[in-house]
Each structure stands twice: as structure tokens, then as C-alpha cells.
Amino acid sequence: GGSLMIPAGTYRITAPLVINTSSFRLFGEGGKTVIKQYTATADTFQVGSAATQRNGVTIESLAIIAGATKTGGAGVAVQNSVYTRLLHLNIGAQYRGVDIYDKNFGTFVNECVFTDSVESAIRYTSTTAASGTNGLFLNNCVLDSAGGVQPTIAGINWINGEGLYAVNCEII
């Protein structure tokens, strides 16, 4: 557990930042903390893994922006996690803004803005209905193609799973 604060600045990365612990909070200083992923197919953040479940991870107050034209990967990839919270994020020009897949329970996306996703702002999927991806809660979010980029799929790409709850969201 614990927390990590990333100070204001622009950080260039070429490999995913993996959160491999439970009860963890990663946070920045809003739009002043920019994480730029320069690998076209890589996730920027990865939470959880197929082998190990993670509980209570929060990523908060960051700008997650592609530094290269994205052909794969996500701003935040969430796998096998319980009660993941994504708060006050600006996610731009990603292949997928957030990719939620396989054995997730309770993913909360609050006050986030997604712009110019290539495939979809949010992909929510289970490889089978029995693998149990349940509960996506969106609150005060904007999924937009402001720069004129039209996603190839949709604002939300829903494949299996149960429970989409959205309050005060705009999908443009």
C-alpha cells in the first residue's frame, strides 16, 4: 500500500508504469503533471495482472497524453482489480483511453476527460461472461473527439461484462 505523488512537470516514458500493489494511490498536480507515452503500442499505466488481483488502487489528477501516434495500448489498462478509482484525469490521443478487462469489480471513473481516442475512450470487456468484469461507474465524464479524430469503434466499446452506470456524462 501507500501513495506516490508525481510533481508538476512533463514525464516522457517508453514502457508502461505498472502498479503492482493494492491499497495504493498515485496522484499528480492535475494538468501540471503530464505523463507522455512515446511507444505506439504500449499502455501508459497498468493496474493488476492476470495472475494477481489488486484492490483499492487510485490514479488521480494527471494528464495522460500520447507522445506518438497510437496503434495499440491504453492510457490506463485495468485487469483483475477490485475498486479501482480513476479520478480527475485528462486522457488524450490514446488508442484506448481506459481498457478494463477480465475479472474487475467496481471500476470508478470520476471527472475524467477523454479526447481523440483512436479506437475508443473506454473499452470494457471480458473474454467470457463467466470471467466476471462487473460494474463500471462513470460520473461527470466527457468522451470527446475535439480534435476531429473519429474513434473507429465508439466512445464506449462494451464486450461482455455487466453493469454500466453513468451520471452526468457527455459522449460526443
Side-chain angles (χ1 to χ4, degrees), residues 109 111-112 138-143 165-171:
V109 182
E111 298 185 12
C112 294
L138 301 173
N139 184 40
N140 293 325
C141 293
V142 176
L143 290 66
Y165 308 91
V167 175
N168 197 28
C169 295
E170 293 182 48
I171 302 173

Side-chain angles (χ1 to χ4, degrees), residues 1 4 13 40 51 56 69 76 93 103 109 114 121 124 138 146 157 159 170:
L4 175 65
I13 63 170
T69 301
V76 180
K103 297 184 265 180
V109 182
F114 300 84
Y124 188 87
L138 301 173
N157 183 9
I159 307 166
E170 293 182 48

Side-chain angles (χ1 to χ4, degrees), residues 12-161:
R12 179 186 173 123
I13 63 170
T14 57
L17 301 173
V18 178
I19 299 174
N20 202 17
T21 188
S22 292
S23 302
F24 183 76
R25 177 177 175 233
L26 174 74
F27 64 101
E29 296 184 54
K32 297 177 190 173
T33 305
V34 179
I35 310 297
K36 282 191 164 187
Q37 173 57 269
Y38 280 86
T39 301
T41 58
D43 299 324
T44 302
F45 290 98
Q46 293 175 343
V47 178
S49 68
T52 308
Q53 186 177 74
R54 297 295 169 219
N55 302 303
V57 171
T58 299
I59 300 175
E60 180 177 0
S61 299
L62 299 169
I64 302 170
I65 308 298
T69 301
K70 297 299 278 190
T71 57
V76 180
V78 182
Q79 180 183 22
N80 195 13
S81 297
V82 177
Y83 300 116
T84 302
R85 298 182 328 143
L86 307 176
L87 311 172
H88 312 288
L89 300 177
N90 179 352
I91 300 177
Q94 300 293 322
Y95 187 74
R96 295 182 186 110
V98 175
D99 194 3
I100 304 163
Y101 58 101
D102 289 338
K103 297 184 265 180
N104 289 288
F105 297 93
T107 303
F108 299 85
V109 182
N110 296 320
E111 298 185 12
C112 294
V113 176
F114 300 84
T115 54
D116 297 330
S117 301
V118 175
E119 187 214 58
S120 54
I122 299 173
R123 184 178 80 151
Y124 188 87
T125 187
S126 274
T127 52
T128 66
S131 70
T133 296
N134 296 292
L136 172 60
F137 301 85
L138 301 173
N139 184 40
N140 293 325
C141 293
V142 176
L143 290 66
D144 191 3
S145 294
V149 175
Q150 296 300 313
T152 58
I153 302 292
I156 300 174
N157 183 9
W158 193 275
I159 307 166
N160 278 336

